[in-house]
Amino acid sequence: MAAHDTNKVDTVTGMSTTGHEWDGIQELNTPLPRWWLWLFYICIVWGIGYVIAYPAWPLVSSYTKGVLGYASRDQIETDMASLKVQRGDMVAKMESASLADIEKDPKMLEVARALGKAAFGTNCGPCHGQGAQGGPSYPNLNDDQWIWGGSLDQIYQTIQYGIRNENPESRQGPMPAFGKDGIIPKADIPIVAAYVVTLSGRKPEGNVDLAKGQKLFAENCASCHGDAGKGNPEVGAPNLTSNIWLYGGDEKTIIETVTNGRGGVMPVWAGRLEPATIKALAVYVHTLGGGQ
Amino acid sequence: MSSAEVPQAPHDDDIPLYEARKEIYPQAVHGRFRTAKWIILCITLGVYYFLPFVRWYRGPNAPDQAVLIDLPNRRFYFFFIEIWPQELYYVTGLLVLAALILFLMNAVAGRVWCGYLCPQTVWTDLFYAVERMIEGDRRERMQKAERGRWDLERIAEKILKHTIWLMIAWWTGGAWVLYFADAPTLVHELVTFQAPVVAYVWIAILTFTTYSLAGWMREQVCLYMCPWPRIQAALTDEYALNVMYRYDRGEPRMSAKKAEAARKADESAGDCVDCFQCVAVCPTGVDIRNGSQLGCIQCGLCIDACDNVMAKLGRPGGLIAYDTDDNAERREHHEEPVYRIIRARTVIYTVLIALVGAVMLYAFTSRNNVGISALHDRNPLFVKLADGAIRNAYTIRVTNKSLDTRPFRLEVIGLKEPKFDVIGVPQTGATSTLLEVGPDQTRELRVLVTLPKALIRDEKADVSFRLTDIVDGSSAIVRDHFFAPEGDYHSQQDGHHGQ
């Protein structure tokens, strides 16, 4: 900085310069309008007002609340309340309608499926998977095999009261631990397991006395799974003749199941979810594809 | 700042970083360009203020407002066109066209947009007209401002002026909200105070912006806030017509008498008499004689002012005119001026405009009233059923853009003997089903496609869904896949696979 002549004029542009010069480069004088400066001051005043009006400063264990008392949590609650009001008519309609009627009415079906999908993702997805695809020991709800029945009413009952829990209304009836409790001698378990494999049209490994297996099955298993192994939804005994296995259909897993028993549980949802939500869930699960 | 190294630095060497606003008092002017601006002002504001009231009958299931942005129902109506949210690319196309047209305007005749069409220019022009009507023309306003006396008359004038300004601004905001709802209904609701709060809020916002931008900010918007002057400076060239002072004819400036004497004595004399009329009428307060500049919005009012002066002096008009830098130079070298409208850039812009326009026209004329989209279930990708069959599930959304309830046929094609189910819709055919979709609506369907184990040919097969409008026969197809578990299908089928 050498020259400080404030009246210096740039010859090319004809504009006055600020008088500042760096290695021969001069700065043209292009001042901002004063109102721009005022905008800056207005922003500062606005900022101070904002800090007073709204939550702003973090304190050690809380924060300054602001004189307007605004909280984003309140806003969510307001939004949720207005959503509830918006859904009110449809929810009331669904509460009074029968499950079959909900499925027959295109508009109610659409709402029930949307509502059910959201509720499923939050409440059911952790075990059954977001797409109800299930997994080992958690049933796939898309297929057409139902342990406790796949009609609308059976699904509704299962969702309301769950499976093998303390609620007296819940589905009861575990698979006993035939091996561990000594009901079937340990040596016979592979024989009955081999017979179970043949029920679904497959060949067991090794050479086993299938006649003995059939006898063992009739004595121990048929009371729940049926003589032909077709299962019984009343007691939650799965169909053993199909391609679908909850815990695995290979011989080794079947031996394990017969030895130790099975007793998957599901919680009670009645009382935890709104009645209309449970209905929507039943319709959603029923319309995934496997409903009966 | 000052230190031992620069002892000569005076203590007041810093000039202010902010400058006070230079008040301008544009003078009224009459002439060709002023008339053109009045006509354009009437047309543009007329369209803006009255378009929401134009009716356009579409049928019983659609609004009858010619131009309507229906936000709650996500529709945009423009006369015979109805745009759905997923068709917003038409708007993108329009924006591209608008930008290209702006470029073309600039290549042909500079800032035509700024001078005649920009809302800032149009509303500011209207507000200046009000100001002139109440407070008088340039001279009177300057005198009143200089005198600074606040007598009753001046207070009354100010109150009247701001009231009219606010009324115009309020009407501007009022017209804006009418584009978003049925205009006559909303007007009735507004005057009976039944309208939604958001309508009043938007009216208030636009009243404020119109009043402050057109009444107070005026040329400051062009000088400091708008990016277009900066962009157009990069887009212009020496052949673009711009409002310019023909310095080759105007210089040297001298009074009319001196010029006459000089001409008699055969000495060189310019036509510019330094009357400053061009500066007095300028709405941004620039002196066009300094050449093209950022502040000049090229409205042509200085042309009118100068032509009027030249006519009084008996000299030919056009001392300030739409001309090119190139021509000024050519005249100085005693060459004929040339006007080159057809240049590389104008041709390129025109071709691009035609191209984008043609693509949009094609997209628009070939668009269908029927739409279908499919979303394959991701989790699970397929479901194994008890009998070993494989099922795939799809969420299919069908769209009926026509304005009446219509029957449609939805069918699955591309698979051999699939089982086809649509949840909640009674089956009407083996691989197809009939369903209804309401006017101007979409319907989401859960669709199940099942293949017996024996018919599965591949882990991933092509499948399509076709939606046919039973009424007019138009159809839409969406392609998807049918997935099956990993398996050795090829050897199982003994070479039957192959299509």
Side-chain angles (χ1 to χ4, degrees):
Chain A
M1 269 221 254
H4 287 275
D5 180 3
T6 51
N7 296 317
K8 220 173 162 184
V9 170
D10 176 57
T11 48
V12 180
T13 60
M15 289 172 74
S16 69
T17 73
T18 56
H20 302 166
E21 187 185 324
W22 292 269
D23 297 336
I25 298 169
Q26 293 174 22
E27 188 186 5
L28 295 182
N29 179 24
T30 52
L32 275 177
R34 192 169 293 282
W35 56 262
W36 201 293
L37 186 67
W38 279 107
L39 286 183
F40 175 61
Y41 291 140
I42 290 169
C43 286
I44 293 174
V45 173
W46 176 272
I48 293 169
Y50 189 94
V51 163
I52 295 167
Y54 284 94
W57 293 104
L59 305 174
V60 176
S61 59
S62 73
Y63 56 93
T64 57
K65 298 277 195 291
V67 292
L68 290 187
Y70 170 86
S72 49
R73 170 55 59 182
D74 292 349
Q75 196 157 31
I76 283 207
E77 269 159 28
T78 315
D79 289 352
M80 294 303 285
S82 78
L83 186 69
K84 216 169 172 176
V85 171
Q86 259 183 47
R87 285 177 178 169
D89 290 347
M90 195 45 109
V91 165
K93 206 172 154 192
M94 271 167 51
E95 270 173 10
S96 58
S98 77
L99 290 165
D101 286 345
I102 294 177
E103 262 192 22
K104 271 184 212 129
D105 180 307
K107 197 71 219 164
M108 265 205 281
L109 176 65
E110 196 184 341
V111 174
R113 281 193 44 83
L115 206 61
K117 189 177 183 179
F120 191 93
T122 314
N123 301 291
C124 319
C127 290
H128 289 284
Q130 290 298 310
Q133 74 274 23
S137 78
Y138 298 109
N140 181 348
L141 306 177
N142 289 276
D143 62 32
D144 56 348
Q145 178 157 310
W146 299 88
I147 298 168
W148 297 97
S151 74
L152 261 174
D153 289 331
Q154 287 167 317
I155 294 171
Y156 184 54
Q157 168 81 12
T158 308
I159 298 173
Q160 272 186 304
Y161 301 110
I163 296 163
R164 301 185 188 101
N165 56 47
E166 279 116 48
N167 191 300
E169 299 282 333
S170 76
R171 308 277 194 191
Q172 296 295 344
M175 161 98 181
F178 288 96
K180 217 165 73 185
D181 295 347
I183 306 169
I184 300 178
K186 218 166 187 168
D188 287 348
I189 288 177
I191 299 170
V192 75
Y195 175 74
V196 169
V197 167
T198 65
L199 287 176
S200 49
R202 295 174 296 160
K203 278 203 176 74
E205 297 164 27
N207 216 348
V208 198
D209 182 359
L210 287 175
K212 189 179 179 193
Q214 188 174 10
K215 189 167 160 278
L216 283 165
F217 186 86
E219 284 165 5
N220 298 286
C221 318
S223 60
C224 290
H225 290 282
D227 292 335
K230 293 271 185 199
N232 179 6
E234 290 298 310
V235 292
N239 183 355
L240 304 176
T241 65
S242 81
N243 288 291
I244 298 167
W245 295 88
L246 178 55
Y247 295 96
D250 59 295
E251 231 172 298
K252 196 169 158 264
T253 313
I254 293 171
I255 291 171
E256 191 187 315
T257 304
V258 176
T259 308
N260 297 322
R262 298 285 184 187
V265 296
M266 175 168 156
V268 181
W269 293 101
R272 286 173 70 184
L273 298 176
E274 306 269 331
T277 308
I278 296 181
K279 273 189 163 173
L281 273 171
V283 170
Y284 173 72
V285 170
H286 189 249
T287 56
L288 279 173
Q292 290 159 351
Chain B
M1 281 284 278
S2 12
S3 67
E5 285 81 30
V6 278
Q8 75 274 34
H11 63 279
D12 58 346
D13 65 328
D14 274 335
I15 55 169
L17 293 170
Y18 302 94
E19 66 177 357
R21 181 169 172 181
K22 296 181 199 82
E23 282 298 333
I24 56 167
Y25 302 90
Q27 186 174 300
V29 64
H30 300 281
R32 286 178 293 156
F33 292 100
R34 182 63 266 182
T35 308
K37 273 171 73 73
W38 282 130
I39 292 169
I40 291 170
L41 183 144
C42 291
I43 294 171
T44 50
L45 290 186
V47 167
Y48 174 76
Y49 287 129
F50 295 109
L51 190 57
F53 295 99
V54 177
R55 302 288 101 183
W56 186 271
Y57 184 71
R58 295 186 177 85
N61 298 313
D64 65 347
Q65 186 159 320
V67 179
L68 176 67
I69 301 162
D70 189 353
L71 288 180
N73 296 311
R74 278 95 171 155
R75 296 285 184 277
F76 171 56
Y77 298 96
F78 186 84
F79 294 92
F80 60 95
I81 302 173
E82 181 191 341
I83 303 245
W84 287 48
Q86 68 266 33
E87 294 173 316
L88 206 67
Y89 51 80
Y90 287 119
V91 178
T92 313
L94 282 178
L95 289 175
V96 171
L97 270 185
L100 287 171
I101 290 169
L102 207 54
F103 294 172
L104 179 64
M105 278 162 125
N106 185 60
V108 172
R111 290 163 66 177
V112 181
W113 170 260
C114 299
Y116 301 89
L117 294 165
C118 176
Q120 178 62 25
T121 297
V122 172
W123 262 283
T124 303
D125 227 11
L126 183 63
F127 275 47
Y128 269 134
V130 171
E131 187 171 270
R132 252 182 235 120
M133 208 172 66
I134 295 164
E135 293 188 56
D137 206 357
R138 173 181 165 88
R139 196 183 304 264
E140 288 168 74
R141 298 207 305 277
M142 285 172 85
Q143 277 169 358
K144 284 172 186 170
E146 203 177 331
R147 215 184 305 140
R149 211 174 52 218
W150 285 94
D151 51 19
L152 267 180
E153 193 192 338
R154 190 154 150 76
I155 291 169
E157 273 177 8
K158 287 278 180 198
I159 289 173
L160 184 60
K161 179 181 85 173
H162 287 284
T163 309
I164 294 176
W165 277 4
L166 279 167
M167 278 165 63
I168 296 171
W170 169 81
W171 193 18
T172 306
W176 173 262
V177 299
L178 296 183
Y179 284 89
F180 295 85
D182 184 59
T185 315
L186 184 58
V187 168
H188 183 260
E189 285 174 352
L190 283 168
V191 295
T192 53
F193 297 102
Q194 314 249 306
V197 177
V198 67
Y200 294 105
V201 170
W202 274 103
I203 292 175
I205 291 173
L206 274 121
T207 304
F208 170 75
T209 54
T210 310
Y211 172 71
S212 58
L213 290 178
W216 293 94
M217 297 305 287
R218 299 171 166 182
E219 81 288 347
Q220 300 287 307
V221 175
C222 312
L223 298 180
Y224 293 106
M225 292 158 74
C226 180
W228 181 234
R230 281 86 182 161
I231 298 170
Q232 80 90 34
L235 286 170
T236 194
D237 68 358
E238 66 272 33
Y239 297 113
L241 284 172
N242 278 314
V243 174
M244 68 173 287
Y245 163 66
R246 285 171 167 155
Y247 54 86
D248 53 295
R249 211 191 106 187
E251 303 292 325
R253 302 171 198 176
M254 55 186 74
S255 74
K257 268 184 194 157
K258 276 187 188 165
E260 214 169 309
R263 281 191 201 97
K264 273 186 185 147
D266 223 11
E267 286 165 17
S268 78
D271 272 339
C272 178
V273 292
D274 235 350
C275 66
F276 278 92
Q277 283 301 294
C278 53
V279 180
V281 299
C282 181
T284 58
V286 303
D287 187 341
I288 190 64
R289 296 172 301 172
N290 293 339
S292 282
Q293 57 204 288
L294 188 142
C296 172
I297 59 167
Q298 299 186 5
C299 58
L301 292 184
C302 50
I303 301 180
D304 284 344
C306 191
D307 280 353
N308 293 345
V309 171
M310 288 296 122
K312 276 179 201 150
L313 292 173
R315 299 293 301 166
L319 177 55
I320 301 175
Y322 273 100
D323 205 350
T324 70
D325 285 344
D326 189 49
N327 281 344
E329 229 165 87
R330 290 179 76 90
R331 279 192 301 269
E332 282 204 320
H333 294 101
H334 304 287
E335 292 168 43
E336 278 295 297
V338 288
Y339 295 96
R340 292 180 51 198
I341 297 282
I342 299 169
R343 316 193 293 277
R345 67 178 65 200
T346 55
V347 171
I348 291 169
Y349 291 149
T350 311
V351 168
L352 282 175
I353 290 169
L355 209 67
V356 174
V359 168
M360 280 182 65
L361 200 66
Y362 173 75
F364 181 73
T365 50
S366 64
R367 91 188 188 136
N368 210 331
N369 267 347
V370 178
I372 183 170
S373 69
L375 184 68
H376 194 291
D377 263 17
R378 281 167 177 246
N379 211 352
L381 209 51
F382 52 81
V383 179
K384 204 160 107 182
L385 300 184
D387 62 1
I390 299 301
R391 167 181 289 164
N392 278 218
Y394 307 83
T395 303
I396 288 189
R397 190 172 273 282
V398 295
T399 303
N400 175 17
K401 286 183 192 166
S402 64
L403 295 174
D404 44 6
T405 302
R406 285 197 180 183
F408 290 91
R409 182 172 59 245
L410 176 66
E411 59 194 315
V412 58
I413 46 182
L415 290 178
K416 203 178 161 195
E417 292 171 46
K419 195 171 170 312
F420 177 67
D421 292 297
V422 182
I423 297 288
V425 178
Q427 196 86 9
T428 51
T431 58
S432 72
T433 197
L434 289 176
L435 50 97
E436 258 187 4
V437 186
D440 203 36
Q441 281 175 18
T442 66
R443 187 167 167 190
E444 195 183 277
L445 302 161
R446 182 164 174 85
V447 172
L448 310 171
V449 178
T450 312
L451 275 185
K453 202 173 177 182
L455 284 179
I456 292 172
R457 296 278 184 278
D458 217 329
E459 286 160 23
K460 183 180 172 186
D462 289 328
V463 63
S464 302
F465 298 95
R466 180 164 55 203
L467 184 74
T468 311
D469 184 337
I470 305 289
V471 177
D472 67 11
S474 61
S475 66
I477 282 187
V478 63
R479 296 161 63 88
D480 211 309
H481 296 291
F482 185 91
F483 293 98
E486 285 179 33
D488 195 4
Y489 300 109
H490 298 250
S491 61
Q492 265 178 26
Q493 303 303 325
D494 288 323
H496 286 300
H497 176 78
Q499 31 187 347

